[in-house]
Amino acid sequence: MTDLTNPHCEISDLGDRLVVENRNAARRNALTPDFYKGLHHALELATDNPRIGAVLIMGEGDFFCAGGDLTMLIKAQEMSEDQRRARIDALNDLMRAVVACPRPVIAVVEGGAAGAGLSLALACDMIVSARDARFTAAYVNAGLVPDGGLTAALTACLPPQMAASMALTGQPVGAERLHALGVIQELTEPGEAIMAAMALADRLAAGPAEAQAAIKHLLTGARATLLEAQLSAERDAMATALASREAAEGITAFLAKRPPDFRRLREDS
């Protein structure tokens, strides 16, 4: 099915699986309220229908998701802190829905995932990725802090030093390295991630729906306390960071295609 009223989210119901496509390729599939709405709908449909064996999330074109749209984030500096918290809570609710869905959710990554796009990929139960994809906790490059549960996910799936490196430097990590660490379940050649994800969905759709739902509940329950704590902590930290001088400099520099001058801000303090 395709919701023609939602330009940023296409849901394909293939009977035993749903394929959810973020259709915002012009902005490297940055997250939008329309995509939030569409993915919530798909997850609710999967929850209510045991015939659905998996939900596949992918991006239009050659990039999974670039996270928040910085052209929209810069407007957050004009909002009240309560308004900024509400925007971040909308992202957090989406991540909760991905984790809570009783059906396996698979991230299908081409090109890469950055910022909240990385948060979304790591919220999924499994990741199938092209081997040339790059994963970036890009927030620090814009003077911001992670959100969407990213600090919980990085802490859970990576050695502490590597999690710190990704979050504090914003340097990308290749899919092959994350595959070696067990974060990515399957690597493919570029352009072939969706085919491998479909094959994985075949296996899942042939399995026992109730047992799979129970297993997922047990697995996610083991990390739910950390996730909830970090979602709240990240929301508060991000609401503050969005109003900071560093965020103004980082976002403005990104939009102007120049390096941010955070050193000047340090010296002016």
Side-chain angles (χ1 to χ4, degrees):
M1 78 186 153
T2 300
D3 183 355
L4 298 178
T5 66
N6 190 335
H8 287 158
C9 188
E10 181 176 294
I11 303 170
S12 299
D13 187 339
L14 305 182
D16 62 357
R17 72 203 64 183
L18 298 178
V19 179
V20 183
E21 184 176 41
N22 185 350
R23 299 186 62 81
N24 191 17
R27 304 205 64 82
R28 294 206 309 169
N29 297 313
L31 297 170
T32 65
D34 280 338
F35 180 71
Y36 287 9
K37 179 181 177 182
L39 182 52
H40 271 297
H41 176 66
L43 294 169
E44 290 168 2
L45 182 62
T47 296
D48 294 339
N49 289 277
R51 67 176 172 82
I52 295 172
V55 178
L56 283 62
I57 304 175
M58 62 184 295
E60 178 186 24
D62 59 3
F63 202 83
F64 176 70
C65 179
D69 188 335
L70 291 186
T71 61
M72 300 300 295
L73 288 179
I74 199 166
K75 297 178 181 178
Q77 297 204 316
E78 303 168 5
M79 299 177 179
S80 69
E81 183 151 338
D82 284 345
Q83 289 173 318
R84 292 194 295 272
R85 286 171 183 255
R87 286 176 62 115
I88 300 161
D89 275 333
L91 171 66
N92 289 349
D93 286 343
L94 187 68
M95 300 304 169
R96 290 186 180 100
V98 171
V99 172
C101 179
R103 316 303 164 205
V105 183
I106 304 169
V108 185
V109 179
E110 293 284 352
L118 177 57
S119 301
L120 176 59
L122 293 178
C124 295
D125 300 292
M126 289 169 272
I127 302 173
V128 176
S129 173
R131 65 177 63 253
D132 64 346
R134 291 159 71 82
F135 297 77
T136 313
Y139 299 89
V140 71
N141 298 331
L144 296 171
V145 301
D147 58 8
L150 184 58
T151 54
L154 292 178
T155 300
C157 70
L158 293 177
Q161 293 78 10
M162 187 172 178
S165 176
M166 288 189 72
L168 291 172
T169 72
Q171 290 297 306
V173 176
E176 292 191 344
R177 187 173 183 192
L178 291 180
H179 179 257
L181 290 167
V183 179
I184 293 171
Q185 281 61 55
E186 187 169 351
L187 290 177
T188 74
E189 294 306 312
E192 297 180 5
I194 186 60
M195 291 181 284
M198 285 290 194
L200 178 55
D202 287 341
R203 294 177 58 189
L204 292 167
E210 292 183 8
Q212 288 174 341
I215 291 167
K216 177 166 178 178
H217 179 72
L218 291 168
L219 291 171
T220 56
R223 54 189 173 93
T225 301
L226 174 61
L227 176 62
E228 279 302 317
Q230 291 306 102
L231 285 174
S232 297
E234 288 175 353
R235 178 201 59 205
D236 295 345
M238 178 63 101
T240 299
L242 280 166
S244 71
R245 293 191 307 152
E246 291 179 338
E249 168 62 15
I251 296 172
T252 300
F254 178 86
L255 296 176
K257 296 181 169 54
R258 64 169 174 82
D261 189 0
F262 295 127
R263 185 177 295 276
R264 174 180 56 82
L265 298 182
R266 285 174 177 263
E267 293 170 351
D268 290 346
S269 297

